[in-house]
Amino acid sequence: MSRQALRLDAKKVNSEFLTLTYGALVTQMLRDFENVEDVNKQLERIGYNMGMRLIEDFLARTSAPRCLEMRETADRIQQAFRMYLNIQPTISNWSAASDEFSLLFDTNPLTEFVELPADLSNLRYSAILSGCIRGALEMVQLEVQCWFVQDQLKGDNVTELRVKFVRRLEEAIPAGED
Amino acid sequence: MAFCIAIIGKDNAPLYLVTSDVEKELDLQYRVHAALDVVEEKCQLLGKGAPETKELYLGLLYSTETHKIYGFVTNSKIKFIIVIDSSNVALRENEVRAMFRNLHILWNDAVCNPFYIPGEQLNSKKFDRAVQKLMSGNV
Amino acid sequence: MRAAVGLMLSHGSVEPVMSRPDYEQTALHHGCLLVLLRGVGPSKPRTLQRAFEKVRRVNNIKVNDSSGATRSVWVRYIHDHPVEHNDWGDFQSHRRVLGLITIGKFENQTELNELCRQHESLKVRYGSTLYETRAIFVGPEADASNHTDGVDGTVNAHAQQQELETIGEHCNDVSTPTKPRLQDEYTTPSNFKAQAFFYREQDSCADLEPRICDFVNALFWVLESRRLERAREKPDKVSLLLAPFEKRDFVGLDMESRNNRKRCVGRVMKNLADLSLQAGLVEDSLSLYHNANETLRSVGDSLWVGACEEGLCSASAMLLYPQLHEMETLHRNASLQEAGTSPLRNMSEKWRASDATKKVNTPDANNISNNMLNNVADTRITSNSSSCSSVSSILTTNSSASGTPTTSSSSTSTISAATFGHQQRNGELPGNILKAEEITNYYRKAIINYSKYRHAAIIETEAALKATRVCIEQNRPLDVAMFLQNILYINLSMTEAERVKRFEIITELYQQIGYQRKAAFFQRLAALKHVQQGSQAPDWNQSYRLMLCSFTGYLLSLDPLEVLENAAGWPALQIDLVQSLITAARRLGHSALATRHMTFLLQTQWDNMSSTEQSEMAVQLQNLSAQCEGSPVPLVLENGTVIPPANLTDLPYCMELQVKDLPAHLRPQRIKIAKADSGPFLFTPIHLNSLDRRDKKKEKNKIAFHWVQNDLSEVSVRLRNPLPFELIITDMRLLTNGVVFESLPQTIILQPHVPTNVSLHGTPIETGQLDLQGYSTHTLGVKSNCRLKHMRGRSFPPNFLVDVIPALPRIDVKTSLPQTATFSNMNSADIVVTSASLTLYNGESASCTITITNESSTLQVEHFELNINSNVDQEVQKKIFRIDEKDLQDKLPIAPLASISFVVHIYAEADFVCPIPAASLHSTAAGGGEYGPSSLTHYSSNLSTSGHASLPSRVSSPQHRRIDPQCASFRSTMSAAQHSLATLSLQPASGTGPPSIGSQYTQHIEAQLRIKYSGGEALTAGYCRQCAVSFNLELLPSAQITSWDVLPAEIASQFYLVLDISNLTAQEMSLNYTHNKNILIEAKESCRVPIPVDRCSLEQVCAARAAEYAENMERELCFRTQLLSFSDALSKLCSTHIAERVKINWLLTGTDIQGIASLRGIVLTQAMIDLTTVSPLQWFISFQDTPVQQHGEVVCVVGQHSMLSIKLCNQSLQPLTNLELTIKFYQDYLNGIENYNLETRVAISGPNIISIPILEKHEQTQHICSVIFFTPGRFKTSIECVSRPQISTNATNDAALLTRSCPGATNLGQLETLASSQQPHLNIMLESSYDEQQTHVWKFIPPIEVTVVEQQ
Amino acid sequence: MSEEIVFDCLHAEIVNYCLGNNKEHDLATLEYIGFTTGYRLIERLTRDSSRFKDELETMKFICTDFWTLIYKKQVDNLRTNNHGMYVVQDKAFRFLTRISPGAKQLEHAPKFVAFTCGLVRGALSNLGINSTVTADVQSIPACRFHIEVNRN
């Protein structure tokens, strides 16, 4: 490692690299599709795929047992965010049936530098996150819905991601189990 | 505390210019523009083995009875220029340096906005706000 | 020394501060003798210029001093010199004027006196410092015998005194050699003591230079003496030298104090240094300065320390940069010109200079100077590369302003610089000289020291400028910038004019180091100063000039194209600059320029302006152009600056430009010309053609179609008005090159932002290639040429190329028939120029006269060809339309403006025959001989309801198709037709299509009479035009044959054609069916008419068959699958047979409308055919051995058997097979009832049905039987012979195959021979190929009537 | 590192995305995404480094510091012909380590280097060096990048 690089905080560079690359991807997509909704879908899908791969890594690292109820799941998700994006969303707004909760991000590395142009107000820039959660949970037989309630990019002061339990999937043993 | 902050592109096209007093904007723009010769001079001196420091801060470009004009160049050949009030003797040079550093950081972030197209004029609320802060001297 | 003090006092009153800085002063001037060189007298003609130059040329002389050393003495000539500056002579001795030279021209004594007077007064003025003066008088050529009238003797006395002391003795010895002649004619006034040189106007003044040298020499020696004086002074005696403003400071101070002594000594030393420097003792001066510096610093005499430091710099500079002397000469010229271009050149030679001085620099210094040189290169690039073009455009102005000398002088100076360099190398440099970079520091120090004294402001300013110039020499741009910037800091009270001057100097110096932006900045300031509010005499002219020059700095060019090209610079500033330029132009009252610049602004900065700005500017432009409208021509300023045209290419914004083809009916098209005489031209079209093709390959801006000489042509443009208000464009027309083109002006009004299509018209006057470049507009009061190639961001080709072919004649077409309201929906309807509509009853005929007028006044129509095409098939069409081509061609050519006419004959062709009813079909299929009245009545009845309602059923009947495939085919189209007539009229008739059926209904026929015509050169070039007349025919049903039948006639050679004819018109119709047989039919009624017709002879039948064979053979050869069957041929034969013989003329009674209904296309059943043709069987019937005659009465007796002999003979050309002879007796009760079961009344011996397997041609067969009648009565005998088919269809196919595969089977004869031989399959073949499976019935008609009587 | 895997996933997805839609221009798109990323990233990474004297200095920075930061390892070899051609050798290139070596994979290699080519080109271009960056993979996961500076 050279004198130069030492000065730069590797962690920071990592997340910036990620952020910028993601930004480049989004803008490219906006070039590719004229319809913003398509972009949202694409991003969500990409997130979904990533989620499916990340969960494996996650389970491998934290040999965490299968969680039995949503609250545990929520904690894991929180943990995952800390691990992968080193941000810690706060979990809140549990529904009465405690099958639905919100992740509140006061910072979101993906949107660190982003400023949405007026004409892209309906772009869900961070759609990848919701996709990720869905993808990951599906791998552990949890079908959830996941959507943005608030977004700092749209001027809200937090970014709120809502996660709702739909059903347990009964399929083959998920990766990393037992 | 600063009259004017200007950002000038690789090709010396103005990317961003803000003044504390809109009345003076044009006049200041003229002054900033005039400063470019010296900026270029200083940029070229580097690499000519000149004793010049290798730091991005170019120092005082020139000063008049009313204005002091400082320069700064990024490695990507983006030039920053800050015009301050000559009468303001309180302002030390290293404060100017600090301003440049902050400006540089702001600029970096602005450039990292995926929706900003490099080389084009920068218009960003975020940036405006931050720069205003910077000019008024409370960062 | 007393003098000095006295002098000091004498000027006590004078304002101690110098009035203004001497901006031209350089470091080297410290070492020069200052000489005031003045033109005097009323007229200062150019002729004096030579004198001035000669004088100026003497700026350096070499003198050998007492010690024998050579001194290099420099002179600086100045034009004027504020006298108070002399007072600073103690401070810096080079500020003293030491010499005076006046140059004046005189015509007569009085003028000469005046010159003398002025010279003298100048002497008085500067008397305090002058060492020497000279007067140069240029006198008239011829002897003007005008004598001196006494000059006023009252000349300043004491001034005279002084002179006498100084130059008294010079006068005597030098004045003698001066030219006597002029001097004799004119005498200088007695009080004029100065030494004068007289020259004739045209005199080359050869001896002037040496004389000036003498003069300088003189000056030197005086100076030298002063120096020595100074040098000899005792340190303890020296008095205090003072700068003018210091006097008060030292009043009443103890001059003897140690400090002040030091001060005195130091200052004197410094003064001595100055003098030595002037006297050419640079090294001495160096050391003196150093010492003085020491001494004075120790006493903190800052002002003078500064002076010492500056002195050191000057002395060092003199040694290091002697070439600066030359720079000066160059500079003098440069200063005249606008420095726009200078930086480049100055730079380049700068480094040569520094190269020369390199040796003396310390190593690091010299590699700096190396870097400097790269650096210089760079600055040059950065400052100019981007806008070198724009520089060039400025350059034109400068060169024109300053003339050539700049370049020449620069070159000389550089050369000399080099030589100096050598000298330096030879001469060893003193050790105490300042190093290059030290000089800068010393200047800095000096300036700081000066800056401590308010009154030294000017000294300080000048020092800064000198420093600047040295730094330029050293290529230290940053230091230059630093010093120049410093100048602005120095606050000295000066006039606006002075400030402007200061800015201009700064500008110039910045330009020398290539700081274009800085230069521009100050240039602009200067420009603004010139006209700032409150300034009593605003100089808009200067302001304008400077603004224009500052363009380079802002990367602006005068040429809009360039600006748009290298879109660089700071828009906001560019806009502002141009705006203030406009203001200046306006104030100058130069509205043309104002308009031009405003146009420029709109054109170049459009994208950088907000929409509101845009419209504001547009409005301003409108106001400006109101005074002087803009046009696309270059403007030239007094100084020769050329302001290129500015066009508003995008106002309005052109979205699309389309070259239009001529209207279809005028479009030129190629014709093949068979004309032999057009030999020479014959190649032109082909050549042109090939050329076109080649062009199309390489250039896409080549237009595919042609325009025609003298034909109005069109280009359509799509425009958008980007302004928020209505934009009026007048005089918009096409811009073209190449062939002469008359474009028509066009005025349009564009609403804001609404794209509008505009068509521009024009007429090519010549033939050849036309180059469409764009269009010109006149909007907002500005004329613009908007060329495609200048319209940016719209992938337009640079131009369009259209070929213009020779003029073509043009015709007008009229018809004698009324025009149609309906549009033709045939293809290429666009060429239709007129139309004709006509309604006819089927079978009726009419004619239409068409008149062609040649509209062109010069060309005649030589080539004229017609063709008709329509929605009916060729055959029918031929029947409908007839034109006598021959007669037409005779009328050609059509002379200009003449007209011809020709007739089109039109016949309402239709098929009057309706297909046969299904009913009768069945009956025939059943084979029974049972048709006629019954079927007919049935048919007519259902006709009366509606003839066609029942058609489909008929169509679908299978047998029918079997009978006649073609019919089937047309039926199907027909049925289609019934459902929609439209389809009918649309599809061009296939087979015997539409017209043949529609006959019961009104049908529409559309046709185009297409006319190709040409003439003149175009014809020889192979072009013509095509137009068309569209015909709209409405054919109404008239007579209609709804059903028909064929009955045997009384005589075997004839048959009766019985027709049901119905009148489909709305009026009574009289029908003439056979000669002199007429019948009237009510509207919508029908009636039956019998028409006797001769049978169709066997020969014809054979012919038909022969034809058919031939055809079949052919078909086989081309492997057609379906063979015709005999009956096809035969039925065709019969139907044409009938059609030819039977014509039915109808006439609508009470009108003259009449027509002919033909029976063409009548379809016959097999039975009918058998009746139509002569029977192949010949009957020989005898009863009781008595042959039975036609209608012959046969009588026999009851119970008595009688012989009935039936003999058959085959008359036809082929065997008849499976014949079955039937004999039946019956009783006809004449009430339609016939009784066939007569077992009790008659008996026949032997069978009454005899089968005959085959009856070869000409073969006879006989059947004899005996008949017995048991009861008397009237009996009838029907004898008929039936041929029944029995070969299966697939056998037919085999046969067909066989026939095809049978190579020999080419002609009829052969087949017959084959037939006679007994090979069964051949039989099959034959049978199949002629009499295919059809039932034929041949009767012996009429039936034999037998009357049986009782026995007697 | 846990963050790395996130990026690796993203990178993989980007590759898929580009190859997902029509085949012909996908590598170009991929390269371009890299370009814009590099162009912006370098702006930040050079914030604290002093001005580069010349091309070589710049190149050094890109090929050592920059590389190390992004790819978590130093390049194994950096050579130049001093005529504007630089060759960077990475024996275990980050984006190739995850695919199993083999001839079949080799033809897929371009997908995994295109982004980086763009990244480097972008970074250089923002530092005022116009270049053409190509890569060749002989045996996964080894990879060589050729940076050719386009003078003038």
Side-chain angles (χ1 to χ4, degrees), chain C residues 720-929:
Chain C
R720 203 185 79 247
N721 164 14
L723 292 168
F725 51 83
E726 196 173 73
L727 184 65
I728 300 161
I729 300 148
T730 58
D731 192 32
M732 185 168 182
R733 50 175 94 217
L734 289 167
L735 279 179
T736 63
N737 267 354
V739 305
V740 179
F741 185 84
E742 265 179 18
S743 44
L744 305 180
Q746 170 71 288
T747 295
I748 52 175
I749 298 172
L750 293 176
Q751 297 311 318
H753 309 301
V754 192
T756 318
N757 284 325
V758 177
S759 42
L760 303 171
H761 294 94
T763 315
I765 301 307
E766 302 174 330
T767 68
Q769 191 171 69
L770 179 67
D771 173 354
L772 287 162
Q773 302 237 304
Y775 53 81
S776 65
T777 59
H778 185 293
T779 186
L780 300 173
V782 177
K783 286 207 190 74
S784 304
N785 292 336
C786 311
R787 296 204 153 73
L788 285 169
K789 61 166 183 269
H790 296 152
M791 297 183 181
R792 314 172 63 80
R794 272 156 291 184
S795 66
F796 285 158
N799 62 351
F800 286 106
L801 300 172
V802 191
D803 280 322
V804 180
I805 64 152
L808 276 163
R810 191 170 170 167
I811 60 165
D812 169 62
V813 183
K814 285 198 171 38
T815 75
S816 58
L817 293 173
Q819 297 240 9
T820 46
T822 58
F823 283 115
S824 159
N825 41 21
M826 290 180 68
N827 47 6
S828 72
D830 51 0
I831 62 170
V832 171
V833 288
T834 182
S835 63
S837 58
L838 179 59
T839 307
L840 289 176
Y841 285 98
N842 290 343
E844 192 181 354
S845 35
S847 72
C848 164
T849 311
I850 292 178
T851 313
I852 307 289
T853 311
N854 178 359
E855 287 183 324
S856 75
S857 51
T858 53
L859 298 161
Q860 57 180 12
V861 177
E862 303 159 46
H863 175 89
F864 194 91
E865 76 183 72
L866 291 174
N867 67 59
I868 296 176
N869 63 357
S870 64
N871 58 0
V872 301
D873 85 302
Q874 278 303 320
E875 288 314 303
V876 184
Q877 179 185 302
K878 278 211 201 66
K879 296 210 180 73
I880 299 178
F881 298 98
R882 235 172 4 81
I883 299 170
D884 182 349
E885 287 283 349
K886 164 90 183 59
D887 147 78
L888 176 59
Q889 293 303 330
D890 296 344
K891 293 177 177 155
L892 295 179
I894 313 174
L897 303 174
S899 50
I900 61 159
S901 56
F902 60 92
V903 180
V904 180
H905 302 279
I906 303 167
Y907 168 69
E909 169 67 14
D911 184 345
F912 298 84
V913 181
C914 234
I916 1 160
S920 59
L921 256 170
H922 297 308
S923 63
T924 41

Side-chain angles (χ1 to χ4, degrees), chain A residues 122-174:
Chain A
N122 57 339
L123 171 69
R124 285 199 300 283
Y125 188 89
S126 314
I128 191 175
L129 294 181
S130 51
C132 242
I133 293 175
R134 274 204 322 109
L137 293 185
E138 202 154 304
M139 289 299 278
V140 292
Q141 279 70 45
L142 282 177
E143 184 182 333
V144 296
Q145 284 174 353
C146 189
W147 67 96
F148 283 92
V149 183
Q150 302 183 70
D151 187 342
Q152 284 158 317
L153 278 188
K154 314 279 168 68
D156 306 322
N157 42 19
V158 291
T159 299
E160 178 176 358
L161 193 50
R162 192 89 180 140
V163 183
K164 183 182 198 307
F165 172 81
V166 179
R167 65 193 180 94
R168 257 188 196 290
L169 306 161
E170 297 309 340
E171 261 117 74
I173 323 292

Side-chain angles (χ1 to χ4, degrees), chain A residues 71-138:
Chain A
R71 292 191 180 272
E72 287 180 58
T73 319
D75 297 339
R76 299 287 164 74
I77 294 175
Q78 185 183 36
Q79 185 186 0
F81 268 108
R82 196 187 315 111
M83 190 184 287
Y84 292 113
L85 293 177
N86 57 65
I87 49 169
Q88 179 143 3
T90 47
I91 301 164
S92 68
N93 310 354
W94 279 99
S95 64
S98 81
D99 62 345
E100 191 176 334
F101 65 95
S102 290
L103 293 161
L104 298 180
F105 303 83
D106 42 14
T107 64
N108 171 358
L110 292 183
T111 61
E112 191 178 353
F113 313 118
V114 182
E115 245 183 307
L116 274 189
D119 57 334
L120 289 178
S121 48
N122 57 339
L123 171 69
R124 285 199 300 283
Y125 188 89
S126 314
I128 191 175
L129 294 181
S130 51
C132 242
I133 293 175
R134 274 204 322 109
L137 293 185
E138 202 154 304

